[in-house]
Amino acid sequence: MLTIKPFKAVRPMRDKVHLVASRSYVSYTVNQLRKKLHENPYSYLHIIHPDIGKSKLHKLDMAARYGLVRKQYEQFLKDEIIVRDEKPSFYLYRQTKNNHRFIGIIAAVAIDDYLEGRVKIHEQTLSKRQEIFTAYLDHTNVNAEPVLLISSKSEALHKMYERYTSTRPEYDFTQVTKARHELWCIADAKDVQEIERVFAQQEALYIADGHHRCASSAALCEKRRNENPKDRTSPHNYFLAYIIDESNVKIYAFNRLVKDLNGLTHEQFTAHLEKDFVLQKTKSPQQEKEVMMYMNKTWYTLKSRQGKTIEAQTISDKILSPILGIHDLRNDKRVSFIEEPRGLDSLKHAVDRNHFQVAFALRPISVEALKTVADKRGTMPPKSTWIEPKLRSGMVIYELD
């Protein structure tokens, strides 16, 4: 039995939401952040990065920085750039991108569902990164980036969604990425109960994106439960999530780029590859059908000599680690990643400009494959999937106190 509940979100005023909502802060460089902060006084980035001035990055310790985050958040509330909702609500969010409509519910999901394995993972987290975000949540008491969860499809919810999307949305704006964002508030008692009932009948939810955010929320919950064991109802017992059904999510591959060949020539590298793979030159690469490699101005298809499916783990186990000496995908600076939607030309361009020596274009996995890994309590290599939709930060904020 899954437990989700409505909550009183803190949200931007309707006339400012397109200015407040931002991409995830990790997707910006320091220079890009500085430019955004200079040009847009309403961006949620002002809350997340109060330590970046017009000309420099201020060096602050963690506690001081998080104190500034909280202060800036309270200033946004005072200035009524963001406001608290009066009624607990679920939030129906629809994003339209490249003619595809993603739609689902933003809700508070019980931490116990995660701790007890009903919210399932397919990726391990880094303890250091988890600790940093846990401290951030503990000091600031706000979470503005939902975890993306995959659910089973529900016809009852689909009909409810259709009813709401036939009405005027609370938010409706398009950003420079050409993605359209729409949001409806669901506060009606019968609809709230129906949403809770539907999810209570589902066996599990699957994390698509946001493993560290989910783990950090759980760590904060456990910390506060240790301090006050009887408190099982406060907001920190839940985490912010966007729940989308499995038929609606899009999973793309995460392609690999490697800066050098670990001291090998192109010919030596190819000879190593041919022990496990059949390489064939091609002038018409098709990532959706084949695993591709680009090197020395040439595209190749890669096929396993054992007839096995080539996955991200295969590339790590048979190529990156033993041949190229890349053993830690999370931290080795010789390897970079480009999401599949940017296309094969982005890989070709990066290699042709001599920024990288070789590129691997992987095939995307299915939702069923992701669920199978999670059900077996297995894990995938880092950067195995690029999953859409990508949500904006600061559009729906969940307070933890």
Side-chain angles (χ1 to χ4, degrees), residues 135-196:
Y136 172 88
L137 295 175
D138 197 19
H139 281 80
T140 65
N141 270 313
V142 293
N143 189 353
E145 287 195 68
V147 176
L148 180 61
L149 299 178
I150 299 173
S151 71
S152 299
K153 188 173 182 178
S154 165
E155 289 300 328
L157 288 185
H158 181 69
K159 290 179 181 178
M160 185 189 297
Y161 295 170
E162 286 186 334
R163 175 158 50 86
Y164 274 91
T165 56
S166 67
T167 65
R168 181 191 177 191
E170 173 71 12
Y171 295 153
D172 188 352
F173 64 100
T174 301
Q175 300 200 286
V176 294
T177 59
K178 298 184 179 179
R180 181 182 178 184
H181 307 271
E182 298 167 279
L183 184 135
W184 294 261
C185 301
I186 301 178
D188 177 81
K190 289 184 179 180
D191 289 338
V192 166
Q193 290 173 5
E194 176 66 3
I195 293 169
E196 291 174 333

Side-chain angles (χ1 to χ4, degrees), residues 23-182:
R23 299 198 321 255
S24 173
Y25 73 96
V26 297
S27 66
Y28 294 94
T29 67
V30 172
N31 287 336
Q32 288 172 333
L33 282 169
R34 189 174 291 120
K35 187 173 185 292
K36 287 285 184 182
L37 294 172
H38 178 67
E39 294 175 349
N40 180 5
Y42 299 109
S43 174
Y44 193 77
L45 294 170
H46 283 281
I47 294 175
I48 302 174
H49 280 285
D51 51 338
I52 296 182
K54 292 183 179 180
S55 59
K56 64 180 180 179
L57 174 64
H58 300 291
K59 300 293 185 181
L60 301 172
D61 62 46
M62 186 181 295
R65 181 176 180 276
Y66 295 160
L68 285 180
V69 170
R70 182 67 198 187
K71 183 178 179 181
Q72 189 73 349
Y73 175 76
E74 291 173 351
Q75 187 63 49
F76 265 49
L77 282 169
K78 182 179 179 181
D79 294 341
E80 296 187 342
I81 298 170
I82 54 177
V83 296
R84 290 187 181 93
D85 280 345
E86 295 182 358
K87 295 182 178 180
S89 302
F90 289 115
Y91 300 89
L92 178 62
Y93 169 66
R94 182 167 71 184
Q95 182 184 123
T96 306
K97 184 178 181 182
N98 297 327
N99 297 318
H100 182 86
R101 286 184 170 179
F102 304 98
I103 190 164
I105 291 288
I106 298 176
V109 178
I111 294 290
D112 284 332
D113 286 332
Y114 173 79
L115 295 174
E116 296 169 12
R118 291 181 292 276
V119 173
K120 300 189 177 186
I121 68 171
H122 68 267
E123 181 180 310
Q124 294 298 327
T125 56
L126 294 173
S127 57
K128 184 177 180 181
R129 185 176 170 190
Q130 178 181 317
E131 289 168 4
I132 289 172
F133 195 57
T134 301
Y136 172 88
L137 295 175
D138 197 19
H139 281 80
T140 65
N141 270 313
V142 293
N143 189 353
E145 287 195 68
V147 176
L148 180 61
L149 299 178
I150 299 173
S151 71
S152 299
K153 188 173 182 178
S154 165
E155 289 300 328
L157 288 185
H158 181 69
K159 290 179 181 178
M160 185 189 297
Y161 295 170
E162 286 186 334
R163 175 158 50 86
Y164 274 91
T165 56
S166 67
T167 65
R168 181 191 177 191
E170 173 71 12
Y171 295 153
D172 188 352
F173 64 100
T174 301
Q175 300 200 286
V176 294
T177 59
K178 298 184 179 179
R180 181 182 178 184
H181 307 271
E182 298 167 279

Side-chain angles (χ1 to χ4, degrees), residues 291-307:
V291 173
M292 313 298 305
M293 181 181 79
Y294 185 75
M295 180 178 68
N296 200 22
K297 299 189 181 298
T298 304
W299 281 106
Y300 300 85
T301 61
L302 265 64
K303 295 183 179 179
S304 169
R305 289 194 180 276
Q306 290 76 37

